[in-house]
Amino acid sequence: MKKYKSIGKLLAVSFLTAAIASACTEDAMDKINENPNNPLDAPAKFLITDLGVNTGFSTVGGDFSLYSSVYIEHETGISNQLYRAEVRSGEPTTATTYNNAWINVYANIKNAKIVIKKCEEDPSEKGNVVTEAIAKILLAYNGAVAADVFGNTPYSQTGILNPDGTPMYMQPKIDTQESIYQEVMQNLDDAITLLNNGTAKDTGLSGAVGSKDLIYGSNTSTQASMWLKTAYALKARYTMRLLNKSANKTTDLQNILTYVSKSFANASEECKLAIYDADSQLNPLWAFSYSRNSLAASASLIEKFVERNDPRAPQAFLEPDPSGDFPAGYASGTQATDIASIKAAPNGTPQELQNNYGMSMISWAMSAPTLLISYHEVKFLEAEALCRLGGRLDEAKSALKAAITAGFENLENSIIDAANTWVADGDSDLGADVAETYFTDEVEPLFDANPLQETMIQKYLAFFGASGESLEAYNDYRRLKGAGENFIVLKNPLNNNKFPLRFGYGADDVLANPEVKAAFGDGQYVYSEAVWWAGGNK
């Protein structure tokens, strides 16, 4: 068991940092603006490392997913800021709530634009088409996330630098969500062209991105083809996202099927950040759970599992810690064996009390990867498109079965990871045979009765986990509500008039940018103004 190895290393790093800080001399302070470890320029491939890691860890695995997990009832917030988000006490309408996530997503947008400009203009970088394509895909990814959560938001003038490296626009204008999505799709199309059917190679003088890409760079022979598959997967995701705004839904649904066919063939190809080693690199949900202990098992989610005799409950949950000694109690915590022993937290009305409720076992999956876009999501998109097209329900059922099976495998891997690295005596039985029995006995009859509804509910259930997919569940929920499709029933009573339809802007720009400040107002708009693709105006 590796339970305490990481914590000791993290503490050692903290003490070392403090010691270094206390040893600063006046001479060193005089040279503070001459840091040789923080150069003003670097080859594009090194920026790709930071861009890929920060996109996975922060944009996907960070606050956007954490808050979405509460709003979408994958988890119940029971402490600190997530409790306030749960009971809608200021947190959803405060500019400081998402400020860290705001800073991170815009840092990624800036870095992606820097890489693209270098590859287009720097003589030493010209020809590095794989590097440029990766940057365009990750720019599309971060731009879409910013638009999804904030709606109309700064984009076109962000990350544009003067020759001396200073921002060209100190107070960037707000762009419409629609215009941002036009650029998102263009960037994906540009990346697809650059990747040249997956055969592209970097030829610039500065050298290929290679292993500096921590997502697909471990196998440079397939690197371009894997990023090509990712671009098509994202085209499928975003085309479905914009379906309510489509001028021709049939054509777009058929396009989604085409994009899916060019995307991942199995889970081994999915786009994920898999650098966590349960030692010096830690899954962001685990890191948050260990430091904050703010999430509990969601009664609403478990109710949905119970309705379907779903084998994911109770084995994906832990019983309450009887000792109250967090986190040591969870180091020897008990995996639930029945629903009653979980003691799920009621949505919207929990006690603000740690260790009182059971919690998701996946919160302790120290090395579970973060999924930028998964194989099971692609199969769910295929199933949804087939359901909506009509007349192809056998194909939709087959795609749904593949999606559920892959989702089971992903959750099982996280449960096993938690058992191996933190929770004593845990186990999981969510293999393909269990998924097949579940599909035949429980899902298939519900699918036959209402194919689209069951597809979307199963997608919602599959996005529960340690992989950062709660944001996509939140996006799906808003998209469906915008189309009048009330398939996913949430139980927080405050949702009647206080469901967050979007996230509020970050405090940094609310304070510094008059246009953002005016748009933010008192923050109450998050409860009343849907984003453009969900039926709103901005």
Side-chain angles (χ1 to χ4, degrees), residues 146-191:
D148 290 338
V149 296
F150 301 121
N152 293 357
T153 194
Y155 179 75
S156 62
Q157 292 182 347
T158 62
I160 308 299
L161 304 182
N162 293 312
D164 64 356
T166 58
M168 185 174 292
Y169 302 97
M170 296 299 293
Q171 297 172 332
K173 68 170 183 164
I174 290 178
D175 296 297
T176 66
Q177 189 184 55
E178 180 179 10
S179 69
I180 295 171
Y181 256 101
Q182 289 170 352
E183 289 202 35
V184 165
M185 291 305 205
Q186 186 61 58
N187 278 318
L188 291 175
D189 288 340
D190 291 347

mmCIF file of all heavy atoms in Angstrom, residues 146-191:
data_model
loop_
_atom_site.group_PDB
_atom_site.id
_atom_site.type_symbol
_atom_site.label_atom_id
_atom_site.label_comp_id
_atom_site.label_asym_id
_atom_site.label_seq_id
_atom_site.Cartn_x
_atom_site.Cartn_y
_atom_site.Cartn_z
ATOM 1 N N ALA A 146 -14.369 27.494 -21.784
ATOM 2 C CA ALA A 146 -14.650 28.867 -21.334
ATOM 3 C C ALA A 146 -16.020 29.318 -21.819
ATOM 4 O O ALA A 146 -16.803 29.914 -21.060
ATOM 5 C CB ALA A 146 -13.564 29.811 -21.820
ATOM 6 N N ALA A 147 -16.336 29.039 -23.069
ATOM 7 C CA ALA A 147 -17.641 29.440 -23.607
ATOM 8 C C ALA A 147 -18.771 28.649 -22.960
ATOM 9 O O ALA A 147 -19.841 29.205 -22.675
ATOM 10 C CB ALA A 147 -17.660 29.245 -25.122
ATOM 11 N N ASP A 148 -18.547 27.373 -22.715
ATOM 12 C CA ASP A 148 -19.590 26.529 -22.116
ATOM 13 C C ASP A 148 -19.979 27.009 -20.725
ATOM 14 O O ASP A 148 -21.162 27.052 -20.380
ATOM 15 C CB ASP A 148 -19.118 25.076 -22.028
ATOM 16 C CG ASP A 148 -19.014 24.396 -23.373
ATOM 17 O OD1 ASP A 148 -19.668 24.858 -24.323
ATOM 18 O OD2 ASP A 148 -18.269 23.404 -23.468
ATOM 19 N N VAL A 149 -19.001 27.355 -19.915
ATOM 20 C CA VAL A 149 -19.321 27.699 -18.526
ATOM 21 C C VAL A 149 -19.646 29.173 -18.346
ATOM 22 O O VAL A 149 -20.492 29.521 -17.524
ATOM 23 C CB VAL A 149 -18.188 27.289 -17.558
ATOM 24 C CG1 VAL A 149 -18.015 25.776 -17.546
ATOM 25 C CG2 VAL A 149 -16.876 27.971 -17.875
ATOM 26 N N PHE A 150 -19.008 30.045 -19.112
ATOM 27 C CA PHE A 150 -19.204 31.488 -18.912
ATOM 28 C C PHE A 150 -20.167 32.107 -19.930
ATOM 29 O O PHE A 150 -20.623 33.233 -19.725
ATOM 30 C CB PHE A 150 -17.869 32.224 -18.979
ATOM 31 C CG PHE A 150 -16.876 31.764 -17.952
ATOM 32 C CD1 PHE A 150 -15.641 31.256 -18.334
ATOM 33 C CD2 PHE A 150 -17.176 31.833 -16.598
ATOM 34 C CE1 PHE A 150 -14.721 30.827 -17.385
ATOM 35 C CE2 PHE A 150 -16.265 31.402 -15.645
ATOM 36 C CZ PHE A 150 -15.032 30.890 -16.041
ATOM 37 N N GLY A 151 -20.447 31.406 -21.031
ATOM 38 C CA GLY A 151 -21.283 31.990 -22.077
ATOM 39 C C GLY A 151 -20.496 33.000 -22.875
ATOM 40 O O GLY A 151 -19.376 32.720 -23.321
ATOM 41 N N ASN A 152 -21.036 34.191 -23.085
ATOM 42 C CA ASN A 152 -20.269 35.261 -23.716
ATOM 43 C C ASN A 152 -19.104 35.614 -22.800
ATOM 44 O O ASN A 152 -19.292 35.892 -21.611
ATOM 45 C CB ASN A 152 -21.137 36.496 -23.921
ATOM 46 C CG ASN A 152 -22.235 36.268 -24.950
ATOM 47 O OD1 ASN A 152 -22.324 35.209 -25.567
ATOM 48 N ND2 ASN A 152 -23.087 37.263 -25.137
ATOM 49 N N THR A 153 -17.900 35.625 -23.339
ATOM 50 C CA THR A 153 -16.719 35.799 -22.494
ATOM 51 C C THR A 153 -15.550 36.278 -23.352
ATOM 52 O O THR A 153 -15.554 36.087 -24.581
ATOM 53 C CB THR A 153 -16.378 34.457 -21.789
ATOM 54 O OG1 THR A 153 -15.444 34.678 -20.735
ATOM 55 C CG2 THR A 153 -15.824 33.431 -22.757
ATOM 56 N N PRO A 154 -14.540 36.910 -22.763
ATOM 57 C CA PRO A 154 -13.368 37.300 -23.557
ATOM 58 C C PRO A 154 -12.716 36.098 -24.227
ATOM 59 O O PRO A 154 -12.596 35.026 -23.618
ATOM 60 C CB PRO A 154 -12.440 37.923 -22.517
ATOM 61 C CG PRO A 154 -13.349 38.434 -21.449
ATOM 62 C CD PRO A 154 -14.457 37.409 -21.378
ATOM 63 N N TYR A 155 -12.288 36.288 -25.463
ATOM 64 C CA TYR A 155 -11.595 35.194 -26.168
ATOM 65 C C TYR A 155 -10.675 35.719 -27.263
ATOM 66 O O TYR A 155 -9.473 35.496 -27.228
ATOM 67 C CB TYR A 155 -12.602 34.214 -26.766
ATOM 68 C CG TYR A 155 -11.927 33.088 -27.530
ATOM 69 C CD1 TYR A 155 -11.309 32.055 -26.852
ATOM 70 C CD2 TYR A 155 -11.899 33.091 -28.923
ATOM 71 C CE1 TYR A 155 -10.674 31.036 -27.547
ATOM 72 C CE2 TYR A 155 -11.274 32.078 -29.624
ATOM 73 C CZ TYR A 155 -10.664 31.054 -28.933
ATOM 74 O OH TYR A 155 -10.027 30.060 -29.618
ATOM 75 N N SER A 156 -11.210 36.451 -28.230
ATOM 76 C CA SER A 156 -10.413 36.811 -29.407
ATOM 77 C C SER A 156 -9.240 37.717 -29.054
ATOM 78 O O SER A 156 -8.189 37.657 -29.710
ATOM 79 C CB SER A 156 -11.295 37.479 -30.462
ATOM 80 O OG SER A 156 -11.856 38.683 -29.966
ATOM 81 N N GLN A 157 -9.365 38.559 -28.025
ATOM 82 C CA GLN A 157 -8.293 39.481 -27.658
ATOM 83 C C GLN A 157 -7.465 38.975 -26.475
ATOM 84 O O GLN A 157 -6.552 39.669 -26.032
ATOM 85 C CB GLN A 157 -8.879 40.855 -27.318
ATOM 86 C CG GLN A 157 -9.483 41.572 -28.520
ATOM 87 C CD GLN A 157 -10.027 42.950 -28.173
ATOM 88 O OE1 GLN A 157 -10.176 43.301 -27.005
ATOM 89 N NE2 GLN A 157 -10.320 43.752 -29.203
ATOM 90 N N THR A 158 -7.752 37.789 -25.986
ATOM 91 C CA THR A 158 -6.957 37.228 -24.887
ATOM 92 C C THR A 158 -5.746 36.490 -25.442
ATOM 93 O O THR A 158 -5.809 35.877 -26.511
ATOM 94 C CB THR A 158 -7.795 36.260 -24.031
ATOM 95 O OG1 THR A 158 -8.226 35.161 -24.849
ATOM 96 C CG2 THR A 158 -9.007 36.961 -23.453
ATOM 97 N N GLY A 159 -4.631 36.558 -24.719
ATOM 98 C CA GLY A 159 -3.441 35.829 -25.125
ATOM 99 C C GLY A 159 -2.723 36.401 -26.325
ATOM 100 O O GLY A 159 -1.848 35.750 -26.887
ATOM 101 N N ILE A 160 -3.062 37.600 -26.736
ATOM 102 C CA ILE A 160 -2.379 38.266 -27.845
ATOM 103 C C ILE A 160 -1.286 39.147 -27.242
ATOM 104 O O ILE A 160 -1.582 40.041 -26.443
ATOM 105 C CB ILE A 160 -3.356 39.110 -28.680
ATOM 106 C CG1 ILE A 160 -4.570 38.277 -29.114
ATOM 107 C CG2 ILE A 160 -2.638 39.707 -29.878
ATOM 108 C CD1 ILE A 160 -4.227 37.095 -29.978
ATOM 109 N N LEU A 161 -0.041 38.900 -27.617
ATOM 110 C CA LEU A 161 1.081 39.584 -26.982
ATOM 111 C C LEU A 161 1.749 40.586 -27.911
ATOM 112 O O LEU A 161 1.806 40.392 -29.135
ATOM 113 C CB LEU A 161 2.113 38.553 -26.517
ATOM 114 C CG LEU A 161 1.615 37.451 -25.574
ATOM 115 C CD1 LEU A 161 2.772 36.548 -25.169
ATOM 116 C CD2 LEU A 161 0.920 38.027 -24.347
ATOM 117 N N ASN A 162 2.287 41.631 -27.302
ATOM 118 C CA ASN A 162 3.161 42.557 -28.018
ATOM 119 C C ASN A 162 4.517 41.895 -28.216
ATOM 120 O O ASN A 162 4.831 40.873 -27.586
ATOM 121 C CB ASN A 162 3.327 43.839 -27.199
ATOM 122 C CG ASN A 162 2.033 44.627 -27.105
ATOM 123 O OD1 ASN A 162 1.370 44.853 -28.105
ATOM 124 N ND2 ASN A 162 1.687 45.045 -25.880
ATOM 125 N N PRO A 163 5.384 42.481 -29.075
ATOM 126 C CA PRO A 163 6.719 41.906 -29.281
ATOM 127 C C PRO A 163 7.536 41.762 -28.005
ATOM 128 O O PRO A 163 8.384 40.863 -27.901
ATOM 129 C CB PRO A 163 7.372 42.895 -30.248
ATOM 130 C CG PRO A 163 6.223 43.477 -31.013
ATOM 131 C CD PRO A 163 5.107 43.584 -30.016
ATOM 132 N N ASP A 164 7.282 42.614 -27.002
ATOM 133 C CA ASP A 164 8.050 42.513 -25.752
ATOM 134 C C ASP A 164 7.425 41.530 -24.764
ATOM 135 O O ASP A 164 7.888 41.399 -23.625
ATOM 136 C CB ASP A 164 8.191 43.890 -25.097
ATOM 137 C CG ASP A 164 6.860 44.486 -24.662
ATOM 138 O OD1 ASP A 164 5.801 43.861 -24.926
ATOM 139 O OD2 ASP A 164 6.864 45.579 -24.056
ATOM 140 N N GLY A 165 6.372 40.835 -25.182
ATOM 141 C CA GLY A 165 5.751 39.822 -24.337
ATOM 142 C C GLY A 165 4.642 40.321 -23.445
ATOM 143 O O GLY A 165 4.038 39.525 -22.715
ATOM 144 N N THR A 166 4.337 41.606 -23.468
ATOM 145 C CA THR A 166 3.249 42.148 -22.667
ATOM 146 C C THR A 166 1.921 41.962 -23.402
ATOM 147 O O THR A 166 1.891 41.864 -24.631
ATOM 148 C CB THR A 166 3.464 43.637 -22.371
ATOM 149 O OG1 THR A 166 3.567 44.341 -23.624
ATOM 150 C CG2 THR A 166 4.730 43.844 -21.560
ATOM 151 N N PRO A 167 0.808 41.919 -22.667
ATOM 152 C CA PRO A 167 -0.494 41.740 -23.322
ATOM 153 C C PRO A 167 -0.837 42.920 -24.231
ATOM 154 O O PRO A 167 -0.675 44.075 -23.848
ATOM 155 C CB PRO A 167 -1.477 41.658 -22.148
ATOM 156 C CG PRO A 167 -0.644 41.278 -20.968
ATOM 157 C CD PRO A 167 0.692 41.898 -21.195
ATOM 158 N N MET A 168 -1.298 42.622 -25.424
ATOM 159 C CA MET A 168 -1.720 43.673 -26.335
ATOM 160 C C MET A 168 -3.022 44.320 -25.849
ATOM 161 O O MET A 168 -3.231 45.527 -26.017
ATOM 162 C CB MET A 168 -1.917 43.106 -27.745
ATOM 163 C CG MET A 168 -2.256 44.148 -28.801
ATOM 164 S SD MET A 168 -2.320 43.449 -30.475
ATOM 165 C CE MET A 168 -0.588 43.033 -30.733
ATOM 166 N N TYR A 169 -3.871 43.510 -25.236
ATOM 167 C CA TYR A 169 -5.154 44.000 -24.744
ATOM 168 C C TYR A 169 -5.236 43.750 -23.242
ATOM 169 O O TYR A 169 -5.372 42.609 -22.805
ATOM 170 C CB TYR A 169 -6.317 43.306 -25.454
ATOM 171 C CG TYR A 169 -6.296 43.464 -26.953
ATOM 172 C CD1 TYR A 169 -5.758 42.463 -27.771
ATOM 173 C CD2 TYR A 169 -6.806 44.609 -27.565
ATOM 174 C CE1 TYR A 169 -5.734 42.599 -29.148
ATOM 175 C CE2 TYR A 169 -6.789 44.755 -28.941
ATOM 176 C CZ TYR A 169 -6.250 43.750 -29.731
ATOM 177 O OH TYR A 169 -6.217 43.895 -31.096
ATOM 178 N N MET A 170 -5.140 44.796 -22.460
ATOM 179 C CA MET A 170 -5.211 44.653 -21.014
ATOM 180 C C MET A 170 -6.645 44.414 -20.537
ATOM 181 O O MET A 170 -6.870 43.837 -19.473
ATOM 182 C CB MET A 170 -4.647 45.907 -20.335
ATOM 183 C CG MET A 170 -3.173 46.143 -20.597
ATOM 184 S SD MET A 170 -2.128 44.792 -19.986
ATOM 185 C CE MET A 170 -2.379 44.972 -18.218
ATOM 186 N N GLN A 171 -7.610 44.855 -21.323
ATOM 187 C CA GLN A 171 -9.024 44.669 -20.974
ATOM 188 C C GLN A 171 -9.747 44.103 -22.202
ATOM 189 O O GLN A 171 -10.483 44.795 -22.906
ATOM 190 C CB GLN A 171 -9.643 46.001 -20.534
ATOM 191 C CG GLN A 171 -8.997 46.573 -19.273
ATOM 192 C CD GLN A 171 -9.474 47.972 -18.944
ATOM 193 O OE1 GLN A 171 -9.858 48.746 -19.819
ATOM 194 N NE2 GLN A 171 -9.446 48.312 -17.658
ATOM 195 N N PRO A 172 -9.522 42.831 -22.480
ATOM 196 C CA PRO A 172 -10.082 42.233 -23.698
ATOM 197 C C PRO A 172 -11.600 42.283 -23.730
ATOM 198 O O PRO A 172 -12.266 42.182 -22.700
ATOM 199 C CB PRO A 172 -9.578 40.792 -23.645
ATOM 200 C CG PRO A 172 -9.232 40.548 -22.211
ATOM 201 C CD PRO A 172 -8.774 41.860 -21.677
ATOM 202 N N LYS A 173 -12.131 42.453 -24.922
ATOM 203 C CA LYS A 173 -13.575 42.557 -25.096
ATOM 204 C C LYS A 173 -14.242 41.207 -24.887
ATOM 205 O O LYS A 173 -13.617 40.144 -24.988
ATOM 206 C CB LYS A 173 -13.901 43.071 -26.497
ATOM 207 C CG LYS A 173 -13.542 42.080 -27.606
ATOM 208 C CD LYS A 173 -14.100 42.513 -28.951
ATOM 209 C CE LYS A 173 -13.793 41.454 -30.010
ATOM 210 N NZ LYS A 173 -14.595 41.593 -31.213
ATOM 211 N N ILE A 174 -15.523 41.238 -24.593
ATOM 212 C CA ILE A 174 -16.326 40.023 -24.470
ATOM 213 C C ILE A 174 -16.812 39.614 -25.856
ATOM 214 O O ILE A 174 -17.354 40.419 -26.603
ATOM 215 C CB ILE A 174 -17.525 40.245 -23.522
ATOM 216 C CG1 ILE A 174 -17.026 40.399 -22.079
ATOM 217 C CG2 ILE A 174 -18.523 39.105 -23.629
ATOM 218 C CD1 ILE A 174 -18.133 40.674 -21.077
ATOM 219 N N ASP A 175 -16.590 38.347 -26.205
ATOM 220 C CA ASP A 175 -17.073 37.793 -27.467
ATOM 221 C C ASP A 175 -18.317 36.957 -27.205
ATOM 222 O O ASP A 175 -18.524 36.443 -26.095
ATOM 223 C CB ASP A 175 -15.998 36.916 -28.111
ATOM 224 C CG ASP A 175 -14.761 37.699 -28.488
ATOM 225 O OD1 ASP A 175 -14.871 38.588 -29.341
ATOM 226 O OD2 ASP A 175 -13.690 37.437 -27.915
ATOM 227 N N THR A 176 -19.138 36.776 -28.222
ATOM 228 C CA THR A 176 -20.329 35.950 -28.062
ATOM 229 C C THR A 176 -19.937 34.477 -28.024
ATOM 230 O O THR A 176 -18.941 34.059 -28.632
ATOM 231 C CB THR A 176 -21.327 36.160 -29.204
ATOM 232 O OG1 THR A 176 -20.750 35.692 -30.430
ATOM 233 C CG2 THR A 176 -21.709 37.627 -29.333
ATOM 234 N N GLN A 177 -20.728 33.690 -27.319
ATOM 235 C CA GLN A 177 -20.494 32.249 -27.294
ATOM 236 C C GLN A 177 -20.547 31.675 -28.710
ATOM 237 O O GLN A 177 -19.747 30.801 -29.069
ATOM 238 C CB GLN A 177 -21.544 31.567 -26.410
ATOM 239 C CG GLN A 177 -21.260 30.093 -26.152
ATOM 240 C CD GLN A 177 -22.363 29.424 -25.364
ATOM 241 O OE1 GLN A 177 -23.534 29.459 -25.754
ATOM 242 N NE2 GLN A 177 -22.008 28.812 -24.240
ATOM 243 N N GLU A 178 -21.451 32.179 -29.518
ATOM 244 C CA GLU A 178 -21.570 31.704 -30.893
ATOM 245 C C GLU A 178 -20.283 31.942 -31.673
ATOM 246 O O GLU A 178 -19.784 31.047 -32.371
ATOM 247 C CB GLU A 178 -22.740 32.411 -31.587
ATOM 248 C CG GLU A 178 -22.948 31.978 -33.018
ATOM 249 C CD GLU A 178 -24.131 32.664 -33.685
ATOM 250 O OE1 GLU A 178 -24.666 33.625 -33.086
ATOM 251 O OE2 GLU A 178 -24.515 32.256 -34.797
ATOM 252 N N SER A 179 -19.699 33.134 -31.554
ATOM 253 C CA SER A 179 -18.474 33.434 -32.311
ATOM 254 C C SER A 179 -17.300 32.607 -31.797
ATOM 255 O O SER A 179 -16.431 32.199 -32.585
ATOM 256 C CB SER A 179 -18.156 34.929 -32.233
ATOM 257 O OG SER A 179 -17.763 35.309 -30.922
ATOM 258 N N ILE A 180 -17.245 32.358 -30.504
ATOM 259 C CA ILE A 180 -16.169 31.520 -29.960
ATOM 260 C C ILE A 180 -16.276 30.119 -30.530
ATOM 261 O O ILE A 180 -15.265 29.512 -30.931
ATOM 262 C CB ILE A 180 -16.216 31.505 -28.423
ATOM 263 C CG1 ILE A 180 -15.931 32.898 -27.859
ATOM 264 C CG2 ILE A 180 -15.206 30.499 -27.868
ATOM 265 C CD1 ILE A 180 -16.176 33.020 -26.367
ATOM 266 N N TYR A 181 -17.493 29.599 -30.602
ATOM 267 C CA TYR A 181 -17.657 28.243 -31.144
ATOM 268 C C TYR A 181 -17.313 28.175 -32.628
ATOM 269 O O TYR A 181 -16.837 27.140 -33.118
ATOM 270 C CB TYR A 181 -19.067 27.713 -30.869
ATOM 271 C CG TYR A 181 -19.037 26.698 -29.738
ATOM 272 C CD1 TYR A 181 -19.414 27.048 -28.457
ATOM 273 C CD2 TYR A 181 -18.570 25.407 -29.959
ATOM 274 C CE1 TYR A 181 -19.345 26.133 -27.424
ATOM 275 C CE2 TYR A 181 -18.500 24.494 -28.936
ATOM 276 C CZ TYR A 181 -18.884 24.849 -27.672
ATOM 277 O OH TYR A 181 -18.796 23.942 -26.657
ATOM 278 N N GLN A 182 -17.524 29.249 -33.347
ATOM 279 C CA GLN A 182 -17.092 29.262 -34.746
ATOM 280 C C GLN A 182 -15.574 29.083 -34.832
ATOM 281 O O GLN A 182 -15.071 28.333 -35.684
ATOM 282 C CB GLN A 182 -17.526 30.572 -35.406
ATOM 283 C CG GLN A 182 -19.021 30.671 -35.631
ATOM 284 C CD GLN A 182 -19.482 32.058 -36.056
ATOM 285 O OE1 GLN A 182 -18.694 33.024 -36.045
ATOM 286 N NE2 GLN A 182 -20.736 32.188 -36.426
ATOM 287 N N GLU A 183 -14.842 29.750 -33.940
ATOM 288 C CA GLU A 183 -13.382 29.599 -33.918
ATOM 289 C C GLU A 183 -12.969 28.221 -33.416
ATOM 290 O O GLU A 183 -11.976 27.652 -33.879
ATOM 291 C CB GLU A 183 -12.757 30.697 -33.064
ATOM 292 C CG GLU A 183 -12.825 32.076 -33.696
ATOM 293 C CD GLU A 183 -11.763 33.016 -33.135
ATOM 294 O OE1 GLU A 183 -10.649 32.551 -32.819
ATOM 295 O OE2 GLU A 183 -12.054 34.214 -33.005
ATOM 296 N N VAL A 184 -13.708 27.689 -32.449
ATOM 297 C CA VAL A 184 -13.415 26.336 -31.955
ATOM 298 C C VAL A 184 -13.460 25.343 -33.104
ATOM 299 O O VAL A 184 -12.531 24.535 -33.295
ATOM 300 C CB VAL A 184 -14.432 25.944 -30.852
ATOM 301 C CG1 VAL A 184 -14.397 24.438 -30.585
ATOM 302 C CG2 VAL A 184 -14.143 26.709 -29.556
ATOM 303 N N MET A 185 -14.522 25.384 -33.876
ATOM 304 C CA MET A 185 -14.670 24.447 -34.990
ATOM 305 C C MET A 185 -13.614 24.687 -36.068
ATOM 306 O O MET A 185 -13.072 23.736 -36.652
ATOM 307 C CB MET A 185 -16.073 24.560 -35.587
ATOM 308 C CG MET A 185 -17.169 24.054 -34.665
ATOM 309 S SD MET A 185 -16.895 22.350 -34.118
ATOM 310 C CE MET A 185 -18.566 21.828 -33.766
ATOM 311 N N GLN A 186 -13.287 25.949 -36.306
ATOM 312 C CA GLN A 186 -12.251 26.251 -37.299
ATOM 313 C C GLN A 186 -10.899 25.718 -36.865
ATOM 314 O O GLN A 186 -10.134 25.170 -37.669
ATOM 315 C CB GLN A 186 -12.185 27.758 -37.544
ATOM 316 C CG GLN A 186 -11.237 28.149 -38.682
ATOM 317 C CD GLN A 186 -11.656 27.555 -40.010
ATOM 318 O OE1 GLN A 186 -12.773 27.793 -40.477
ATOM 319 N NE2 GLN A 186 -10.783 26.763 -40.637
ATOM 320 N N ASN A 187 -10.579 25.875 -35.594
ATOM 321 C CA ASN A 187 -9.303 25.360 -35.094
ATOM 322 C C ASN A 187 -9.212 23.848 -35.218
ATOM 323 O O ASN A 187 -8.156 23.297 -35.537
ATOM 324 C CB ASN A 187 -9.095 25.793 -33.644
ATOM 325 C CG ASN A 187 -8.553 27.205 -33.523
ATOM 326 O OD1 ASN A 187 -7.667 27.610 -34.271
ATOM 327 N ND2 ASN A 187 -9.080 27.978 -32.582
ATOM 328 N N LEU A 188 -10.314 23.153 -34.946
ATOM 329 C CA LEU A 188 -10.308 21.699 -35.113
ATOM 330 C C LEU A 188 -10.144 21.317 -36.576
ATOM 331 O O LEU A 188 -9.386 20.388 -36.912
ATOM 332 C CB LEU A 188 -11.599 21.096 -34.541
ATOM 333 C CG LEU A 188 -11.740 21.174 -33.017
ATOM 334 C CD1 LEU A 188 -13.110 20.669 -32.590
ATOM 335 C CD2 LEU A 188 -10.641 20.388 -32.314
ATOM 336 N N ASP A 189 -10.821 22.030 -37.476
ATOM 337 C CA ASP A 189 -10.666 21.757 -38.908
ATOM 338 C C ASP A 189 -9.229 22.020 -39.362
ATOM 339 O O ASP A 189 -8.653 21.238 -40.143
ATOM 340 C CB ASP A 189 -11.628 22.621 -39.721
ATOM 341 C CG ASP A 189 -13.076 22.165 -39.588
ATOM 342 O OD1 ASP A 189 -13.308 20.998 -39.207
ATOM 343 O OD2 ASP A 189 -13.984 22.987 -39.847
ATOM 344 N N ASP A 190 -8.636 23.113 -38.870
ATOM 345 C CA ASP A 190 -7.251 23.425 -39.217
ATOM 346 C C ASP A 190 -6.307 22.326 -38.720
ATOM 347 O O ASP A 190 -5.365 21.933 -39.433
ATOM 348 C CB ASP A 190 -6.831 24.757 -38.602
ATOM 349 C CG ASP A 190 -7.530 25.947 -39.233
ATOM 350 O OD1 ASP A 190 -8.148 25.790 -40.301
ATOM 351 O OD2 ASP A 190 -7.464 27.050 -38.640
ATOM 352 N N ALA A 191 -6.551 21.837 -37.510
ATOM 353 C CA ALA A 191 -5.703 20.782 -36.952
ATOM 354 C C ALA A 191 -5.813 19.506 -37.775
ATOM 355 O O ALA A 191 -4.804 18.826 -38.040
ATOM 356 C CB ALA A 191 -6.091 20.516 -35.498
#
